[in-house]
Amino acid sequence: MAVNGKADAVVVGAGPNGLAAALRLAAAGLRVQVVESADKPGGGMRTEELMRPGYRHDVCSIVQPMAAASPFFREFDLPSRGVRLVQPEVNFAHPLDGGRAAVQYQSLEETAAALGPDAAAYRRLFEPLVEHGTDVIDFFLMSALRRPPTRSVPQIAYFGLNGLPNVRWLAHRYFETEGARAMLAGAAAHGMLDLSQPLTSALGMLLTMLGHHVGWPLIEGGSQNLADAMVTALEQQGGEVVTGHHVTDLREFDGVPAVLLDTAPEAFVTMAGDRLNEGYRRWVRRYKHGAGVFKVDWILSEPVPWTNPDVRRAGTLHVAGTLEETLAGERAPNENRITDRPYVLAVQPTVPDPTRAPDGGHVFWAYVHVPHGSDVDMTAAIEDQVERFAPGFKDTIVDRVTKNAVQMEAWNPAYIGGDISNGQATLRQMLFRPVPRWNTYKTPVPGVYMASSATPPGPAVHGACGDNAARVALREVFGVREVPHLRPAA
C-alpha cells in the first residue's frame, strides 16, 4: 500500500488522535497514509444505525466538550468543515430522589443560583477557572515539550491544588447541599476511577468548568461527522485512509521514515516484535487498564419521562443518586464487583439533535462501568436506575442493543477489557503514560511514535495526543522546527 507512491509517514489507527496526527503531518507537505483495521474510520467516534434505518447511534464517544475547547480543533475550525456543534438547554443533570435534581447550565450564574446555599461556593470554585478557561485547557492538553508561557499561572496552580485530592474531599470542602456534592461527583465519575483516588477532583473540576467555558455539545448527526470531516481534510491534501487492514508487524512499513501508532501500547509491543528492548516491554506489562463498560442503546417511543422537568432538557445525565451512592457505584467495578446500583452515564441525543432519528423518533444512550473484561449483562440494573428517576421509562422502550466489555474490545481493539480510556487515568499513569520517559511519544524503535490516548494528556476527543506525537516526529525525523498550521478548509 502507498499513497502518491511511497508514503513519508504512516499512521496506524484512524481514531481522533490518529487523524489529528495525520493532519498535522500533511500540513507539513508530507505524503501521509492512515491504516485502520475497522471497516470505517473514527475509532470511538463511529456512528452506526444499530437497529433500524434512520436511527443514528454513537457507539462510544458522543458528548464533545473537549473537541469544542481543544487547541487542535480550534485550529481545525469545525464550522468551516461543516461540523456543527449542538448545545442542549441544560449541559448535564444529576437527578435525585423525590423529583429533585442538580443541573448545570452553560451560564455559571444560572447554575450557581439554582444551588441555593452553595451558590457562593460554586462561584468561588469555578469563576477563576472559567475566566481563564482557554489557558487552563491549553496547559493540560499541550505536551510539556511545547507548552507556551501562560499568564494564568495562579489559576493553574489553584486548579492543581484543588484537583490533586479525591472528589469526596473537594465536594465536602466547598459544598453543603446534596445536589452540589452529587453533581461534582457525577462529572468526576467520567474518569472511570474509584473516586477515592487522588486526581478525581481534577476531572470533576475540569469537566464542570468546560460546561461553562464551551458547553457540553453533541455533533449534529453523530460523532462520525467529525471523523469524516477529518478524513476529507486529509484526502484534500493528498493523504489516504485505508480501512479493513489489520497491522500485525511494523516491518510492513520498512522504508517509511515515520510510523505513528494510535493504538494500545500492547499492540505496539506485538507489532514491534524483537525490535523492542525488554525494558520497554516490562513497563508496558505494568501499564494498567481499568474498568470496562457495558453499553446500551435504545430506540424509544417518546422522550424519557424524567420526574424533574429540567432533567428532560439535559443532554447528559449522571444517574446515580447522592454523592455517597455515586462513590459506591464507582468503587464496585474498580474492586472487581458488580453492583445493582451503578453510576449510569446517559445521553439524550435527540433532545438537542432531532436529526438522529426519523420525525417523532427518539434514541437514548447509556453505559455503566463494570469490572475489567466482564461479560455480565447490566441491562436490568441500568434500566432500573433510570426508572427510579423516570417512572414509566421501561414502557417507552421500542428496541435496544447492548455491548458488554468483551464486545466493546472486539469492536475497538484499543479498548482492552472494555477500558475505553486506553489505560487507567490514575495520578501515576497520567504522569508516566504509558511508560516513564521524558518524551513518552517516542519509542525505542527508531521512527516509531505512540500517538494514542495511552500518551499524555490521555482520553477524550481532543486530538492532542496525536498532535503532540506528530510534532515530535516532524522535529526528529523531518527536521521541521516551525510547526505548520493546519490547512484551511477547501
Side-chain angles (χ1 to χ4, degrees):
M1 295 180 295
V3 52
N4 297 334
K6 180 181 172 184
D8 297 311
V10 168
V11 178
V12 180
N17 284 306
L19 293 172
L23 285 167
R24 184 65 68 188
L25 295 168
L30 302 178
R31 296 167 297 178
V32 183
Q33 182 181 64
V34 180
V35 181
E36 168 60 51
S37 62
D39 60 1
K40 65 179 177 180
M45 295 193 298
R46 281 173 280 171
T47 303
E48 301 176 3
E49 293 183 338
L50 295 173
M51 290 169 272
R52 303 185 183 189
Y55 290 87
R56 297 174 59 78
H57 306 268
D58 284 340
V59 181
C60 187
S61 179
I62 184 168
V63 180
Q64 307 296 0
M66 292 299 285
S70 83
F72 177 84
F73 285 114
R74 293 200 308 267
E75 185 182 346
F76 185 66
D77 189 11
L78 299 181
S80 74
R81 313 283 180 174
V83 179
R84 182 169 178 256
L85 299 177
V86 291
Q87 299 279 4
E89 294 178 31
V90 172
N91 286 337
F92 60 85
H94 195 116
L96 297 163
D97 290 318
R100 300 168 299 139
V103 299
Q104 194 209 48
Y105 306 96
Q106 189 160 359
S107 164
L108 189 149
E109 281 299 323
E110 190 176 0
T111 304
L115 293 174
D118 281 326
Y122 190 88
R123 286 193 293 267
R124 186 168 69 251
L125 179 58
F126 288 110
E127 274 181 348
L129 300 178
V130 175
E131 184 179 349
H132 296 264
T134 299
D135 285 347
V136 172
I137 289 295
D138 289 0
F139 181 85
F140 288 103
L141 292 189
M142 290 183 181
S143 165
L145 302 171
R146 69 180 184 95
R147 190 171 291 140
T150 178
R151 293 172 294 178
S152 300
V153 172
Q155 289 74 28
I156 291 167
Y158 168 81
F159 179 93
L161 290 172
N162 281 296
L164 187 58
N166 65 58
V167 74
R168 188 180 189 277
W169 173 89
L170 186 69
H172 279 276
R173 181 184 182 196
Y174 276 87
F175 303 130
E176 58 185 69
T177 65
E178 188 174 76
R181 289 173 175 176
M183 187 168 70
L184 182 65
H190 281 246
M192 302 179 64
L193 294 174
D194 180 337
L195 294 176
S196 66
Q197 290 264 5
L199 212 65
T200 51
S201 284
L203 187 58
M205 291 172 64
L206 182 66
L207 290 178
T208 303
M209 181 274 286
L210 276 174
H212 300 306
H213 180 51
V214 294
W216 270 36
L218 286 73
I219 294 170
E220 186 176 58
S223 294
Q224 184 75 51
N225 288 344
L226 174 54
D228 291 347
M230 297 175 80
V231 170
T232 297
L234 180 64
E235 291 173 343
Q236 289 171 344
Q237 296 171 70
E240 179 185 18
V241 178
V242 176
T243 57
H245 181 80
H246 180 56
V247 177
T248 59
D249 193 328
L250 287 177
R251 286 177 295 186
E252 178 179 339
F253 307 117
D254 281 352
V256 176
V259 178
L260 284 75
L261 305 176
D262 182 10
T263 68
E266 293 83 353
F268 162 56
V269 169
T270 298
M271 287 186 277
D274 59 10
R275 300 169 67 180
L276 191 60
N277 63 62
E278 181 55 31
Y280 195 95
R281 289 175 180 274
R282 188 163 52 247
W283 278 113
V284 170
R285 285 196 294 269
R286 295 174 183 172
Y287 186 68
K288 293 183 178 179
H289 291 273
V293 301
F294 181 93
K295 170 79 187 307
V296 189
D297 287 282
W298 295 270
I299 293 174
L300 306 180
S301 61
E302 59 186 77
V304 180
W306 302 103
T307 301
N308 186 291
D310 288 333
V311 180
R312 299 175 191 176
R313 300 188 293 139
T316 301
L317 303 313
H318 303 144
V319 188
T322 65
L323 167 68
E324 295 304 326
E325 286 181 286
T326 304
L327 299 179
E330 288 301 271
R331 186 180 307 118
N334 285 286
E335 293 180 348
N336 205 35
R337 294 186 290 108
I338 296 294
T339 175
D340 59 359
R341 282 284 182 97
Y343 163 85
V344 179
L345 175 54
V347 179
Q348 307 180 116
T350 40
V351 168
D353 182 15
T355 70
R356 293 177 181 238
D359 287 347
H362 304 276
V363 296
F364 190 44
W365 175 111
Y367 71 71
V368 295
H369 303 144
V370 295
H372 182 84
S374 171
D375 62 358
V376 172
D377 187 335
M378 294 292 288
T379 306
I382 294 171
E383 292 181 354
D384 285 347
Q385 277 285 65
V386 176
E387 183 83 14
R388 172 183 169 189
F389 302 102
F393 163 67
K394 294 180 183 179
D395 295 333
T396 72
I397 297 172
V398 174
D399 206 350
R400 74 169 71 81
V401 66
T402 67
K403 274 187 170 63
N404 63 33
V406 176
Q407 292 165 328
M408 286 297 289
E409 180 178 349
W411 181 76
N412 187 336
Y415 297 164
I416 294 176
D419 173 14
I420 62 175
S421 295
N422 203 350
Q424 283 186 323
T426 60
L427 176 60
R428 177 187 174 277
Q429 290 202 166
M430 293 304 286
L431 293 173
F432 306 110
R433 190 173 183 88
V435 300
R437 296 165 65 93
W438 167 244
N439 186 340
T440 59
Y441 310 101
K442 186 177 180 179
T443 76
V445 179
V448 177
Y449 300 85
M450 287 299 300
S452 70
S453 57
T455 63
V461 175
H462 43 59
C465 307
D467 190 21
N468 291 339
R471 290 166 181 263
V472 173
L474 284 172
R475 183 177 66 248
E476 294 191 346
V477 177
F478 302 102
V480 176
R481 299 294 173 182
E482 190 72 27
V483 176
H485 290 288
L486 300 177
R487 297 186 187 179

